[in-house]
Amino acid sequence: MPWESKPHAEIGRAPHLRHLERLVAGLRAGRGGAVAVTGEPGAGKTALLARLMERVPETTTVLATSGVESEAALPYAALGDLLRPLLTRRPTPPAPPPLPALPPLPPPQARALGAALALEDGPGFTPYALCMGVLNVLVGAARSRPVLVVVDDADAIDQPSATALLFAARRISDEPVAMVLAARSPIDGLSELPLTAPALARLTRRELQVARAVAGGLSNPEAATALRLSRKTVETHLSGAYRKLGVRSRTELVRYLIEADISRFVR
């Protein structure tokens, strides 16, 4: 699903991306798990999740949703967004890759899921039946191919959905199912992958442009010409970038950008 993120929010996130990719790679060996990506707004959580989903093999089923504060009081809204593609199985053109076949659920779990997600009428259900149903849907889908569940703004999803997902998250370590949840604060019971706002995120757009140009080998006058700025403006932005990044020379600037894994942005 499309998520908005800051243009350079993924800068410096290569180690975090590799950590998540190792989690996904373990699915091929039947190892699952769950991790909470935590950080303040602007730290790059959304961009990191989007980047991860871009790199997931096509042989992996990806189920994704994002918390919406206005729906936080609507029970099972987030769960419905995640699981409905598996449960309703209605292909839309152009045809997506076929979804994995699901084994039948025990009747109490099937009824609980159907009622919770408004897929069928039914009497009341126990929360445990619903939680077991969610777990077995994910594990059942993973029998055909690995499953990756991605939830952005997990702290904004409705509580019943959160309860069911965390119930499943604690029970998938020996299944080819992985969960990555992004939230502002740690999530009880999940390993944490904390993000702090990178120094580059504090640069203005112009400061980043000037830093990239200079690190790419342009002199101040050449950078001014390329960016259609005055030399004084280039010097001002470069000084600001030096100060915010804690570097004192072009050599240190280049080293910083390489270590921050944005060498591919340097022109």
Side-chain angles (χ1 to χ4, degrees):
M1 61 188 305
W3 290 329
E4 293 294 329
S5 61
K6 293 186 177 181
H8 57 281
E10 69 178 73
I11 292 173
R13 297 305 180 208
H16 304 83
L17 183 59
R18 286 194 293 269
H19 180 96
L20 297 179
E21 287 180 326
R22 285 194 294 271
L23 174 65
V24 174
L27 296 176
R28 294 194 297 271
R31 299 190 306 273
V35 62
V37 178
T38 61
E40 293 299 317
K45 301 186 298 297
T46 297
L48 181 63
L49 298 190
R51 184 66 172 157
L52 173 66
M53 289 190 292
E54 290 175 357
R55 298 165 69 95
V56 170
E58 292 184 0
T59 52
T60 298
T61 298
V62 179
L63 305 173
T65 191
S66 179
V68 181
E69 290 187 2
S70 60
E71 297 181 1
L74 189 60
Y76 305 111
L79 200 59
D81 290 342
L82 273 175
L83 299 185
R84 193 166 284 109
L86 288 178
L87 299 176
T88 58
R89 315 183 63 73
R90 296 174 183 171
T92 57
L99 292 170
L102 296 178
L105 293 174
Q109 297 175 25
R111 288 194 297 269
L113 268 177
L117 304 186
L119 298 175
E120 59 183 51
D121 293 327
F125 56 87
T126 65
Y128 182 73
L130 185 281
C131 290
M132 283 299 300
V134 171
L135 174 62
N136 284 327
V137 162
L138 296 175
V139 171
R143 291 181 182 177
S144 299
R145 63 186 191 215
V147 173
L148 172 64
V149 175
V150 179
V151 182
D152 196 16
D153 292 323
D155 35 15
I157 69 174
D158 61 277
Q159 190 56 50
S161 291
T163 297
L165 288 174
L166 292 180
F167 177 92
R170 292 189 289 267
R171 292 165 172 81
I172 56 175
S173 59
D174 295 325
E175 305 288 349
V177 180
M179 290 190 185
V180 180
L181 287 73
R184 296 186 182 185
S185 304
I187 298 176
D188 187 38
L190 299 190
S191 61
E192 183 184 2
L193 182 63
L195 303 185
T196 56
L200 281 166
R202 299 197 297 270
L203 267 59
T204 66
R205 181 175 62 88
R206 281 298 192 191
E207 287 172 344
L208 184 59
Q209 288 176 335
V210 170
R212 285 163 42 179
V214 170
L218 298 184
S219 65
N220 286 10
E222 290 171 335
T225 300
L227 298 174
R228 297 182 180 181
L229 301 172
S230 69
R231 294 186 184 184
K232 184 176 181 180
T233 300
V234 166
E235 291 170 359
T236 299
H237 288 315
L238 188 58
S239 296
Y242 278 17
R243 183 179 66 257
K244 293 177 182 179
L245 300 180
V247 300
R248 294 173 294 179
S249 68
R250 291 169 185 260
T251 300
E252 291 183 4
L253 176 63
V254 171
R255 185 182 301 117
Y256 185 99
L257 297 185
I258 291 175
E259 291 176 352
D261 194 44
I262 67 163
S263 56
R264 64 191 178 92
F265 290 95
V266 175
R267 298 290 184 266

